[in-house]
């Protein structure tokens, strides 16, 4: 059973489009995260939710909007996609915010 | 703001040799994590270090933490090809925010 899963794995789209990435964890964790890994492999946190409540909201364009329908799911919606949004987006989860985070397989987004 | 620096950023090793990756962080942090990432794959948790002097070992990898020096090390013993990957350290900032280093690309040559 996959612990943290993401869909889709690959996303190729045109500038200006709107897209969503979905994340689900079956670990029973309370906290979920979105990270962006750029072309130089640098990882930066974007958002975190604890039990459906937004806890960390980094300085990202407001075109990015996370949504957590329940504590096992955290989705990321991106409006008006730009070339610079091309990256790998990782979802992660942890039991509590200070515990080890477990990462999903990543979604490779390419904006043309 | 917490900053995490790793060095070296790229490491090419011969099989059987030993080497150390260094991770410095700029402000007090309660927890230090090491992750491994294979090309095109996810991040795999290796170690979490919680206190000064903590040492953890798994196979050919050993991680340690010196909170006074704000330094963690990942020591590789008798490297084998399977250890080739990118290794990230990450420190926990106030508010439970994980800040990652830039990663060290390790290539083990036979």
């Amino acid at each position: 059973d996959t612990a943290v899963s993401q869909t889709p794995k690959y996303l190729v789209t045109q500038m200006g489009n709107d897209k969503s990435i979905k994340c689900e964890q079956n670990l029973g964790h309370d906290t979920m995260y979105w990270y962006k890994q750029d072309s130089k492999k640098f990882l930066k946190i974007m958002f975190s939710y604890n039990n459906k409540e937004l806890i960390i909201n980094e300085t990202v364009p407001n075109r990015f909007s996370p949504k957590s329908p329940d504590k096992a799911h955290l989705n990321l919606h991106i409006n008006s996609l730009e070339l610079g949004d091309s990256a790998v987006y990782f979802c992660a989860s942890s039991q509590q915010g200070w515990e080890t985070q477990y990462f999903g397989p990543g979604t490779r987004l390419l904006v043309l | 703001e917490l900053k995490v620096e790793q060095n070296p950023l790229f490491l090419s090793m011969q099989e059987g040799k030993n080497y150390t990756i260094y991770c410095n962080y700029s402000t007090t942090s309660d927890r230090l994590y090491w992750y491994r990432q294979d090309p095109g794959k996810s991040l795999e948790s290796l170690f979490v270090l919680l206190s000064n002097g903590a040492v953890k070992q798994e196979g050919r990898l050993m991680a340690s933490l010196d909170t006074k020096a704000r330094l963690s090390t990942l020591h590789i013993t008798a490297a084998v090809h399977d250890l080739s990957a990118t290794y990230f350290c990450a420190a926990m900032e106030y508010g439970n925010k994980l800040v990652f280093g830039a990663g060290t690309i390790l290539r083990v040559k036979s």
Side-chain angles (χ1 to χ4, degrees):
Chain A
D1 268 353
T2 304
V4 182
S5 58
Q6 294 179 229
T7 54
K9 287 189 177 176
Y10 299 95
L11 193 48
V12 181
T13 188
Q14 299 288 328
M15 278 177 56
N17 284 350
D18 303 338
K19 291 293 178 185
S20 291
I21 308 171
K22 296 187 176 182
C23 177
E24 177 181 0
Q25 55 95 4
N26 63 5
L27 297 168
H29 288 168
D30 286 339
T31 309
M32 296 184 73
Y33 312 80
W34 279 112
Y35 286 86
K36 178 179 180 180
Q37 186 172 45
D38 64 22
S39 58
K40 294 183 180 178
K41 306 297 182 191
F42 186 70
L43 269 157
K44 188 165 168 57
I45 190 165
M46 301 172 71
F47 305 102
S48 84
Y49 272 75
N50 181 273
N51 223 348
K52 302 195 296 177
E53 180 185 350
L54 182 64
I55 301 297
I56 295 174
N57 186 1
E58 286 294 282
T59 308
V60 300
N62 57 15
R63 298 181 294 104
F64 291 79
S65 52
K67 281 202 179 128
S68 182
D70 56 61
K71 74 173 193 176
H73 295 85
L74 179 61
N75 304 323
L76 183 65
H77 187 76
I78 316 169
N79 288 326
S80 302
L81 277 155
E82 300 178 358
L83 294 176
D85 297 333
S86 296
V88 181
Y89 292 85
F90 285 101
C91 176
S93 73
S94 65
Q95 181 56 46
Q96 297 293 337
W98 59 87
E99 298 191 50
T100 298
Q101 295 179 21
Y102 296 88
F103 284 75
T107 295
R108 284 144 188 84
L109 171 65
L110 179 60
V111 182
L112 301 174
Chain B
E1 181 186 351
L2 176 64
K3 292 193 186 307
V4 179
E5 288 188 2
Q6 285 182 239
N7 70 83
L9 297 182
F10 182 77
L11 178 54
S12 181
M13 297 176 64
Q14 289 291 129
E15 275 193 331
K17 298 292 187 184
N18 304 334
Y19 210 82
T20 301
I21 299 171
Y22 297 88
C23 175
N24 289 91
Y25 52 98
S26 60
T27 63
T28 302
S29 176
D30 288 340
R31 293 168 182 249
L32 196 292
Y33 301 82
W34 285 95
Y35 285 86
R36 168 182 171 146
Q37 186 178 34
D38 291 303
K41 302 290 185 183
S42 183
L43 281 86
E44 174 193 353
S45 174
L46 294 175
F47 303 108
V48 55
L49 302 165
L50 303 178
S51 60
N52 188 42
V55 176
K56 289 200 174 174
Q57 182 161 7
E58 180 74 34
R60 299 174 189 275
L61 300 178
M62 183 173 72
S64 66
L65 179 62
D66 180 344
T67 57
K68 293 179 182 176
R70 295 180 188 153
L71 171 68
S72 180
T73 61
L74 182 66
H75 187 72
I76 302 149
T77 302
V80 293
H81 181 72
D82 285 353
L83 289 179
S84 296
T86 300
Y87 292 86
F88 291 94
C89 66
M92 186 68 74
E93 191 174 36
Y94 176 78
N96 293 332
K97 187 172 79 171
L98 205 54
V99 178
F100 281 82
T104 297
I105 300 171
L106 174 64
R107 292 290 174 261
V108 181
K109 300 182 293 186
S110 51

